[in-house]
Every structure is written in C-alpha cells, then in structure tokens.
Amino acid sequence: MASGILVVDKPAGWTSMDVCAKLRGVFHEKRVGHGGTLDPMATGVLPVFVGRATRAVEFAEKSDKEYIAGIKLGVVTNTQDITGEVLEERPVSVSRKELEAALEGFRGDILQIPPMYSAIKIGGKKLYELARKGREVDRPARPVTIKSLELAEQQAENLYTIRVRCSKGTYIRTLCHDIGQALGCGGCMASLRRTMAAGFALEDAVTLEQVREAADPASLLLPVDCFFAGKPVLVLKSAGTEKKVRNGMTVVLPDLTPGEYRVYGQDGIFLALCQAQGGRLSTVKSFFEV
C-alpha cells in the first residue's frame, strides 16, 4: 500500500487537485492530498501526500512558502494576474530604484484583501463563484507576513521578477497588484513559480512525466517522517511503551525534555509525532498503518 510524500513540479495549466486526481490513479490510492494550492498558471513545488501520509497535510498547509513571480506594471486585471480581463492600462514611468523602494512597504506583517477570484467563502459562497457572476463583495483584510521580498531582475520593459518568502495564506497576485497600486501605475502577476513549500525545494521535486515513466512510482515517494526532520528522534525502548503509543495513550517518561518528537518503535518504524510536557508523552498525530 503506497504511503509517503511525492514532491511534484506542477506544470502550468493543471490545478493542484488535477495533480492529486492523476496520482490517485497512479498509486491506486484514494487518500491523496496536497500541501498548499497553486493556481493553474503557476508551476513549481507541490508536495503531495499519499496514503497514511495524508495525516501530515494539516502541518504542511501552515508552512512558509517561497516564490519567484513576474510582475507586470501598468496593467490591472480582474483576476490580478495576466490571465484575467484587462480593466486598466496605465502609462509607466517607474525606475528600478523606485520599484525597490516600494517593496519596502510590503515587508514584514501586512494586510491583504483577498482577491475576488479565490476559493475563500463569504456568506457560504466561494468568491470566485460570485466573481464569475459579475458580483463583487466586501472582503475583510487578512494579516500575512512577508518574510523576505527582493527585486531579482528586469525581464522586459515594465516586467520585473521578484522573490518572495511568505506565510501561509499570502496571495502573490494580490501582492503584485498592491505593489502596482502603491506605485500609482497598477500591476498584475505575469508568472509564478513556487520554489519551496513545506520545507521541500525544487531539487526535491519530480515531474509528472517522471512519475508516469517510473517502473515503480512508489519508489519516488519520500517517507512521511522526513517532513518532520527538524524534530528530535525518540526511539521507544520497550514493547509496553510502544503499545501505549500505538493505542493513543499517554506515556510517563519523567526525564524527557519538553518538546515535539519523531517517535519510532523498536523496529525503527515511524509511529507518530508526539508532544512531551511535564514528563508525559502524548500523541499529536499517528502515522503507522492500522
């Protein structure tokens, strides 16, 4: 039974759920989920969790992301990216120095108004469903954190590349739109490539073609415990203790330093992510096959 993490270099034109649907067929496994949505036009790192490993999706969604994005100045669209309907075209007289100065106002903790073309629900309706009917509703601004924001290069007249590292929930197309508004000329996202998500980078990724051509696609899966590689390892020393962890019971370990641990059985099988506090070890999420 397939179980693990496949880091996919998502191609343009596919939704994140398209990728999951394809992999359900490849692995003959219904339990397939991804660790952070990418728009169809975007490419890059899409961590996909297969089998029992899907229990880690909730942790992946909370992680920071990194992107390389193209920002086109002078163009405003209804989707805030280049695929949308052009609402305005404005003259641009912005120097590279002025663009770099504008980026300063978007570093750190900022507020973003989610775009109408997004899956956020307001009043029980997804925003993009309302947008497709020509409706626009008020959206409360949401706090996000831009950990780093750099101007990489100028690709063409009024077309630049930025590098962004950000918290979950950040809309890069909204960031491009808002930078354009701050400059007074408008702007939209022209391209997007995710270079890191859930701690995985492009060098960890495989293409869907590589998956299709693999003699054994399961050999491409990474073990789910690699996702928690930053946590210390705890190997349980007795069968009785292991049985308690497998049954979701709290274990008394008086000398254990407080914190989260990757917990393994005596045979080396990854059992669970656990939390130690006050000499007691409890399960946060189990990952062994039941």
Side-chain angles (χ1 to χ4, degrees):
M1 186 178 295
S3 181
I5 303 169
L6 187 70
V7 185
V8 176
D9 186 348
K10 189 189 85 65
W14 289 58
T15 68
S16 300
M17 292 309 296
D18 288 339
V19 174
C20 289
K22 180 68 176 179
L23 296 178
R24 286 189 188 99
V26 169
F27 292 108
H28 308 289
E29 171 60 71
K30 293 180 180 179
R31 296 172 297 171
V32 176
H34 62 78
T37 301
L38 277 175
D39 288 341
M41 73 172 285
T43 66
V45 176
L46 181 69
V48 179
F49 296 76
V50 179
R52 186 72 172 173
T54 52
R55 294 172 66 79
V57 166
E58 65 183 87
F59 303 99
E61 291 175 338
K62 299 174 184 176
S63 65
D64 289 351
K65 314 284 193 302
E66 287 183 350
Y67 300 90
I68 295 176
I71 175 171
K72 184 172 181 62
L73 299 179
V75 178
V76 178
T77 73
N78 63 338
T79 60
Q80 300 182 344
D81 63 41
I82 203 69
T83 68
E85 176 189 346
V86 175
L87 302 178
E88 293 181 67
E89 290 190 71
R90 305 175 190 169
V92 180
S93 58
V94 175
S95 67
R96 181 186 178 101
K97 187 174 180 180
E98 289 171 325
L99 177 53
E100 287 179 330
L103 297 185
E104 181 60 36
F106 293 92
R107 297 186 180 108
D109 297 328
I110 65 170
L111 293 174
Q112 278 193 335
I113 297 175
M116 278 300 300
Y117 282 87
S118 65
I120 291 172
K121 287 186 177 181
I122 290 184
K125 295 286 187 179
K126 291 181 179 179
L127 288 177
Y128 70 79
E129 293 174 345
L130 298 174
R132 286 171 181 169
K133 295 177 181 178
R135 293 177 57 191
E136 182 163 352
V137 297
D138 290 333
R139 291 96 66 198
R142 296 185 169 200
V144 297
T145 302
I146 306 299
K147 306 289 181 71
S148 65
L149 176 58
E150 300 174 356
L151 180 58
E153 61 179 340
Q154 183 171 4
Q155 295 177 294
E157 185 179 9
N158 303 333
L159 180 62
Y160 295 84
T161 300
I162 57 175
R163 291 192 183 95
V164 187
R165 178 166 184 158
C166 55
S167 65
K168 71 163 189 171
T170 303
Y171 285 93
I172 303 301
R173 49 200 166 100
T174 298
L175 178 64
C176 292
H177 171 87
D178 291 348
I179 290 170
Q181 293 298 101
L183 288 166
C185 60
C188 68
M189 187 180 77
S191 62
L192 186 66
R193 183 155 177 77
R194 188 155 68 189
T195 55
M196 189 275 286
F200 298 107
L202 279 172
E203 51 264 33
D204 303 311
V206 295
T207 64
L208 290 177
E209 287 75 16
Q210 288 175 300
V211 176
R212 283 195 290 261
E213 293 170 2
D216 178 16
S219 66
L220 300 174
L221 293 172
L222 301 172
V224 67
D225 55 331
C226 75
F227 177 67
F228 303 105
K231 311 291 184 185
V233 170
L234 175 62
V235 179
L236 301 178
K237 297 179 180 179
S238 74
T241 302
E242 179 174 337
K243 183 177 180 181
K244 287 182 178 180
V245 171
R246 285 180 176 271
N247 289 332
M249 300 170 64
T250 298
V251 178
V252 177
L253 295 172
D255 299 326
L256 193 59
T257 302
E260 287 187 334
Y261 290 84
R262 285 181 285 155
V263 176
Y264 295 80
Q266 292 176 294
D267 56 3
I269 291 177
F270 177 53
L271 299 178
L273 176 70
C274 291
Q275 174 76 43
Q277 187 67 44
R280 298 170 70 85
L281 183 74
S282 58
T283 298
V284 176
K285 188 73 71 172
S286 63
F287 291 96
F288 58 90
E289 290 291 348
V290 294

